[in-house]
């Protein structure tokens, strides 16, 4: 079967197509899935570019959407023909977090979904949302579930809350759609006025170009009448955290889900204490969280925003597009 693999030394130019052995028939508790689509995340870019360690010949991509071709003995949750989508942490089935690394994450610690077929435990997948194609389904595995957990599972979002989102990448656009569907008011930042216009079309209540407003935390606070927002989905890390703390209300919630500006830096601890805010780091979510997210998507009718789609052979070009920062929402890969 056809698979895309990571070379050594790593880099986008080192991605290559290989013929790999067909995974065969599923054993007890397993399913065979024909994979038809994926979506890109910064984590995937880190693996293929060399920012994050992985072994030579690793098959990348954490997200995978496809169709069940066969089920092993003892599998009753899925049947042949079912549309399914992968889980980021296959071993984390439910409950509080139990995993703090990527040793079991597809496309990192184990082979990912840039391949035609996989045989995995049935518990490594959930049902895909009804009506979603493979690429759309794959967008929920990492980005969608991260936004869902940040706002709903951990943030306990409710109608009337205010939310601040940074940028217009996959997590932020998913968070915008989730928040609006649940009756929240949303502010979003970007360096692109064109992207801010698109965010307004999706329901954003307040938009801000941070290139023209350096003190954007204060501007967001002013938008709330001086109170501050209830929730911040913080994707930047050390370079943006101070402004996010400025923007959050006393007793509010900041979900640290990304480190786009660096993996370490100064934290304004006095300001955080003064806000009495909860700063929570999180990485995606459990299988049970994903199942609840799928149910919510079917109930609300939300569809993901997929900016562009590439073929598997164009995976390097897809990552270059991600690298450019030109995308709005998710970047899809299909085959």
């Amino acid at each position: 079967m056809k698979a895309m693999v990571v070379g050594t030394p790593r880099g986008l130019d080192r991605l290559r197509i290989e013929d790999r052995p067909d995974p065969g028939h599923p054993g007890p508790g397993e399913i065979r899935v024909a994979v038809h689509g994926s979506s890109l995340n910064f984590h995937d870019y880190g693996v293929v570019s060399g920012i994050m360690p992985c072994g030579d010949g690793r098959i990348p991509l954490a997200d995978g959407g496809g169709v069940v071709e066969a089920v092993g003995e003892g599998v009753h949750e899925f049947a042949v023909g079912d549309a399914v989508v992968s889980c980021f942490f296959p071993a984390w089935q439910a409950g509080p977090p139990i995993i703090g690394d990527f040793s079991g994450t597809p496309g990192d610690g184990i082979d990912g979904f840039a391949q035609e077929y996989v045989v995995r435990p049935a518990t490594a997948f959930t049902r895909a949302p009804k009506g979603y194609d493979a690429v759309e389904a794959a967008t929920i595995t990492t980005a969608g579930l991260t936004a869902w957990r940040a706002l709903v599972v951990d943030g306990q979002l409710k109608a009337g809350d205010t939310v601040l989102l940074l940028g217009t990448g996959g997590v932020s656009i998913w968070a915008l759609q989730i928040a609006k569907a649940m009756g929240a008011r949303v502010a979003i930042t970007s360096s692109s006025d064109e992207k801010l216009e698109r965010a307004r079309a999706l329901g954003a209540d307040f938009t801000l170009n941070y290139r023209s407003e350096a003190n954007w935390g204060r501007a967001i606070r002013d938008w709330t009448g001086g109170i501050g927002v209830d929730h911040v989905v913080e994707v930047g890390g050390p370079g943006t955290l101070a402004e996010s703390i400025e923007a959050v209300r006393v007793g509010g919630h900041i979900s640290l889900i990304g480190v786009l500006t660096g993996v370490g830096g100064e934290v304004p601890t006095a300001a955080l204490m003064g806000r009495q805010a909860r700063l929570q780091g999180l990485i995606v979510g459990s299988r049970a969280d994903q199942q609840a997210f799928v149910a919510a998507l079917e109930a609300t009718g939300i569809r993901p925003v997929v900016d562009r789609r590439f073929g598997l052979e164009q995976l390097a070009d897809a990552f270059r597009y991600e690298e450019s920062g030109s995308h709005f929402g998710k970047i899809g890969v299909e085959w």
Side-chain angles (χ1 to χ4, degrees):
M1 69 167 183
K2 181 171 62 177
M4 184 69 76
V5 302
V6 177
T8 302
R10 282 179 292 154
L12 301 185
D13 294 333
R14 303 288 295 179
L15 286 167
R16 63 183 188 270
I17 289 281
E18 285 187 359
D19 284 327
R20 290 286 182 99
D22 187 279
H25 298 286
E30 294 180 331
I31 59 175
R32 176 186 169 96
V33 176
V35 185
H36 295 301
S38 185
S39 71
L40 304 190
N41 305 288
F42 181 76
H43 185 96
D44 300 310
Y45 175 77
V47 170
V48 301
S49 66
I51 297 173
M52 301 174 184
C54 81
D56 182 38
R58 172 67 73 229
I59 298 175
L61 302 186
D63 304 345
V67 177
V68 177
E69 288 197 331
V71 299
E73 182 182 354
V75 175
H76 305 292
E77 184 175 357
F78 302 116
V80 173
D82 284 349
V84 295
V85 61
S86 62
C87 296
F88 188 86
F89 288 125
W92 182 14
Q93 292 292 293
I98 58 171
I99 298 172
D101 60 39
F102 304 111
S103 59
T105 296
D108 190 331
I110 62 175
D111 280 338
F113 292 97
Q115 56 183 315
E116 292 182 290
Y117 306 99
V118 296
V119 171
R120 302 277 168 89
T123 52
F125 297 88
T126 69
R127 241 183 352 99
K130 292 178 182 176
Y132 276 32
D133 65 27
V135 168
E136 291 175 319
T139 68
I140 79 171
T141 296
T142 303
L145 186 56
T146 297
W148 173 259
R149 180 183 166 198
L151 291 177
V152 179
V153 179
D154 294 338
Q156 297 294 295
L157 180 74
K158 61 184 184 300
D161 280 358
T162 50
V163 178
L164 169 60
L165 308 174
L166 309 187
T168 55
V171 176
S172 294
I173 296 304
W174 261 121
L176 170 59
Q177 294 177 282
I178 292 167
K180 293 307 299 181
M182 297 188 68
R185 298 174 64 229
V186 178
I188 191 166
T189 71
S190 174
S191 62
S192 165
D193 290 335
E194 180 184 355
K195 289 181 178 180
L196 291 175
E197 184 177 347
R198 294 181 67 182
R200 286 192 292 271
L202 286 173
D205 300 278
F206 182 77
T207 59
L208 184 148
N209 189 317
Y210 62 80
R211 297 285 188 200
S212 57
E213 180 55 77
N215 300 318
W216 51 265
R218 170 56 61 179
I220 297 296
R221 176 174 288 277
D222 291 343
W223 169 66
T224 65
I227 298 170
V229 297
D230 298 294
H231 309 272
V232 181
V233 180
E234 169 57 76
V235 303
T240 53
L241 184 56
E243 293 298 320
S244 291
I245 292 172
E246 175 65 28
V248 77
R249 70 166 172 83
V250 173
H253 179 224
I254 301 174
S255 298
L256 180 59
I257 64 94
V259 289
L260 296 179
T261 63
V263 297
E266 183 177 345
V267 176
T269 52
L272 183 61
M273 288 174 60
R275 288 286 186 269
Q276 301 184 65
R278 178 159 56 107
L279 174 61
Q280 179 183 1
L282 62 91
I283 307 173
V284 197
S286 70
R287 183 174 187 254
D289 292 335
Q290 184 162 306
Q291 290 171 318
F293 183 37
V294 169
L297 293 173
E298 293 178 345
T300 59
I302 298 173
R303 300 296 289 260
V305 176
V306 180
D307 184 286
R308 284 183 63 182
R309 297 176 183 231
F310 294 80
L312 185 59
E313 295 84 355
Q314 301 171 297
L315 185 58
D317 292 332
F319 277 119
R320 290 188 186 97
Y321 184 57
E322 180 183 37
E323 194 175 46
S324 75
S326 301
H327 59 289
F328 181 93
K330 296 294 291 179
I331 300 169
V333 184
E334 59 187 349
W335 56 95

